[in-house]
Amino acid sequence: MILQQARKTDLEALCRFYELVCAHMEANGQRQWHWGSYPNEEVIARSIEAGTLYRLYDDKGVVVAVTADTIEDENYARANWLFGTHPGFFHRLAVRPDMQGEGLGRKALADVEELLRTDGCDCLRCDTYTDNSSALRFYALQGMRTAGKIMIPQRPKPFVCFEKPLIEDCPMLPVPMHPAFRGGSLTPWGGEKLLRNYDKPIRDVPTGESLEISCIPTLESTDDSGMRLSDLIQRYGKRFAGKYALSTFPLLLKLIDAKQSLSVQVHPDNTYAKAHERGKLGKTEAWLILDAPEDGELVYGIKPGTSLETLRAACEQGAAVEPLLRRVKVKPGDVCYIPAGCVHAIGAGILLYEIQQSSDVTYRFYDWDRVDAKGNRRELHLDKALDVTDLSFSLDPIHAPDAPCTRVLDKEYFTLDLMHVDGAVRVPAVHQFGMLTALEGELSLCWEGTEKTLHKGDSLYLPTTCPALTLKGTGRAALSMPK
């Protein structure tokens, strides 16, 4: 330790020190501090009285000073923190101008970290003004993560927040994710409900898919800083993604708006996809119906008794396949499990939540004889589709009960929990990782000492080391996890 706790007798020397540092900063165009406004004698005296100000002397006076405490500024609630449930903070870290560049800031920060660890803190947080280029560089060099920007009253520019875990098993917090979109000619059947219902920033009308949490190449979701999910997994490893940190990310979460019916399609299993689709995963999925017209329906398998030869002959004729399709009525709240090999199609007017294996492999049987503006039909994949079709499939939609928390699916590749919140509901414990989506209502996500407002349609990635979570308010949410 190079720092010692400041005493009341240090007040005059510390005031002279900070006045000198402020003058040096202003002379170099850094307008983060102005002595007398902030910091000032009252602030310094208060920190000394609280026992949170530390300093180092040499024969010329104070060389380094810093305040370390566990009191969180209310403005910090708007930052995008990733680490810790018991944060510690430091403020007004300063080195005397003639001693800058000697490594004293780094040593003082190491002392701060040790002081806060001793005080039971699991992470370190701070901020600096956007114009303070030297501090921005310094914090980055000390391995601190940028946690977004906040505005502080009466300051024209934002402050940049930084953080760092202090202990090896520091919890990692829920990460709001920003989706990628598939629209335009890629989803000609889509609409604009993703914008109207969930305020998603779609670029095209129509847009059919919001890939809420995705590692699909070129269609990856990102965190608030713009970092891709795959990069987050690579950076934070098992603490973030459990056993999937070193293997293919297994799941993909979507919201799908089908203004028109989707094509009749089927997906392969892992074995077939690995052999025929360059090693990709197969695709088992499930749907939660969010909105549907009164007569909304799905294609959900092939009618019993249909042979593969009959199905092939009908598909080759086009519309002749329609009488062979098994159709089911659906309403909001219905859940449909769709294993690989199940022929299916989303009906017109349906908005749904989809959890699936992380795969983009789809084989189309039939596209309702539709043509685009140039008279072209969409590509079909009849041979592969028939190869993987399971004619024995026979399931019906299930309707989720209005219980506080229900595990409606527990299948080979994922689980699906639905939460009906009216007050407070504990979120099921995360295994490997979780994907939480606010579906409707007014909800807040809470953990130790923190409450985060969720908006309808928000999706969050829950890391392996996520703390225990509670949903509060009134509304509904869905949680998907890998097996």
Side-chain angles (χ1 to χ4, degrees):
M1 295 280 292
I2 67 168
L3 297 178
Q4 293 182 329
Q5 193 174 48
R7 302 183 179 90
K8 291 182 179 179
T9 54
D10 295 317
L11 178 60
E12 183 179 349
L14 284 164
C15 288
R16 289 199 303 269
F17 167 76
Y18 276 109
E19 184 176 8
L20 177 65
V21 171
C22 288
H24 178 75
M25 291 173 68
E26 291 185 11
N28 286 276
Q30 296 177 359
R31 306 197 180 279
Q32 179 168 347
W33 295 345
H34 179 74
W35 176 252
S37 175
Y38 181 88
N40 55 45
E41 183 175 344
E42 181 184 355
V43 169
I44 303 305
R46 195 162 56 240
S47 295
I48 294 174
E49 181 69 26
T52 58
L53 200 158
Y54 297 83
R55 83 293 189 268
L56 172 68
Y57 279 98
D58 70 2
D59 55 2
K60 295 181 181 179
V62 179
V63 181
V64 182
V66 63
T67 295
D69 59 34
T70 57
I71 303 172
E72 185 163 24
D73 188 304
E74 62 182 12
N75 295 297
Y76 276 21
R78 297 191 294 274
N80 306 313
W81 306 114
L82 181 58
F83 298 111
T85 56
H86 296 91
F89 310 90
F90 71 90
H91 318 274
R92 300 180 293 280
L93 173 60
V95 178
R96 200 173 65 208
D98 67 313
M99 295 296 290
Q100 292 177 5
E102 301 294 325
L104 291 172
R106 174 176 49 79
K107 293 177 181 178
L109 185 56
D111 282 3
V112 167
E113 293 179 12
E114 185 57 34
L115 287 165
L116 293 174
R117 271 193 292 268
T118 301
D119 207 23
C121 298
D122 55 17
C123 63
L124 177 68
R125 297 175 183 176
C126 71
D127 66 77
T128 193
Y129 201 43
T130 302
D131 288 347
N132 195 341
S133 56
S134 59
L136 294 172
R137 287 194 301 271
F138 173 71
Y139 296 144
L141 287 171
Q142 305 317 304
M144 300 188 75
R145 170 186 176 267
T146 301
K149 297 180 180 180
I150 59 173
M151 294 302 299
I152 293 180
Q154 301 178 339
R155 301 306 298 269
K157 295 183 180 180
F159 282 68
V160 181
C161 293
F162 288 89
E163 65 174 343
K164 182 180 182 179
L166 292 178
I167 58 175
E168 186 173 347
D169 58 350
C170 178
M172 299 193 74
L173 305 179
V175 183
M177 298 301 293
H178 298 269
F181 299 100
R182 294 182 73 244
S185 61
L186 295 176
T187 60
W189 41 264
E192 49 187 317
K193 282 186 179 179
L194 294 171
L195 172 63
R196 294 203 317 267
N197 291 33
Y198 299 115
D199 201 27
K200 299 292 182 181
I202 62 175
R203 297 182 299 274
D204 304 302
V205 176
T207 289
E209 296 182 343
S210 177
L211 285 76
E212 296 286 294
I213 298 180
S214 166
C215 270
I216 297 292
T218 75
L219 289 170
E220 289 202 53
S221 52
T222 59
D223 70 1
D224 284 331
S225 71
M227 182 173 287
R228 299 178 303 176
L229 179 56
S230 60
D231 294 329
L232 288 165
I233 294 169
Q234 184 176 15
R235 175 170 294 187
Y236 300 116
K238 290 184 178 180
R239 291 189 301 162
F240 192 78
K243 68 181 183 181
Y244 296 105
L246 300 176
S247 62
T248 300
F249 190 74
L251 297 180
L252 169 62
L253 174 63
K254 294 178 183 177
L255 298 177
I256 297 179
D257 171 22
K259 185 175 182 179
Q260 302 175 29
S261 296
L262 271 69
S263 59
V264 180
Q265 56 192 241
V266 68
H267 308 300
D269 62 15
N270 287 346
T271 301
Y272 192 93
K274 182 177 181 180
H276 296 85
E277 303 295 341
R278 303 182 301 281
K280 291 184 177 182
L281 292 177
K283 187 173 175 182
T284 286
E285 60 191 348
W287 296 336
L288 166 64
I289 307 302
L290 302 176
D291 189 25
E294 189 172 341
D295 58 348
E297 66 176 17
L298 307 172
V299 172
Y300 200 27
I302 299 296
K303 287 184 177 179
T306 303
S307 69
L308 201 60
E309 293 74 18
T310 299
L311 181 60
R312 176 183 290 276
C315 288
E316 288 174 346
Q317 296 176 56
V321 76
E322 293 190 31
L324 304 181
L325 302 176
R326 179 173 178 262
R327 301 170 188 266
V328 296
K329 298 291 185 182
V330 291
K331 57 187 180 299
D334 284 347
V335 176
C336 300
Y337 175 62
I338 304 168
C342 170
V343 176
H344 59 278
I346 303 173
I350 291 176
L351 179 70
L352 59 79
Y353 165 109
E354 178 181 272
I355 179 62
Q356 60 161 90
Q357 288 182 271
S358 184
S359 174
D360 58 356
V361 180
T362 295
Y363 301 146
R364 295 190 197 97
F365 272 105
Y366 175 60
D367 195 37
W368 314 105
D369 287 336
R370 290 181 291 208
V371 295
D372 63 18
K374 297 181 179 179
N376 298 316
R377 299 180 187 274
R378 298 179 81 196
E379 181 184 6
L380 302 180
H381 319 93
L382 186 55
D383 288 338
K384 287 183 175 180
L386 290 166
D387 277 351
V388 304
T389 292
D390 178 3
L391 292 172
S392 67
F393 173 85
S394 182
L395 285 176
D396 291 309
I398 60 173
H399 194 73
D402 282 340
C405 185
T406 304
R407 177 150 293 181
V408 292
L409 291 176
D410 190 346
K411 299 297 183 179
E412 182 179 4
Y413 299 109
F414 50 75
T415 60
L416 175 62
D417 294 282
L418 300 181
M419 286 156 281
H420 181 197
V421 184
D422 187 8
V425 172
R426 179 63 62 90
V427 177
V430 171
H431 297 289
Q432 309 306 330
F433 66 86
M435 300 184 291
L436 179 69
T437 302
L439 300 175
E440 63 179 59
E442 297 182 358
L443 297 173
S444 295
L445 185 64
C446 306
W447 58 92
E448 294 182 67
T450 300
E451 184 167 328
K452 186 178 187 67
T453 299
L454 302 183
H455 299 97
K456 186 171 70 170
D458 284 353
S459 292
L460 298 92
Y461 178 94
L462 309 182
T464 309
T465 54
C466 190
L469 302 171
T470 298
L471 281 168
K472 293 183 179 180
T474 303
R476 296 178 186 269
L479 173 68
S480 293
M481 291 187 284
K483 292 299 290 284

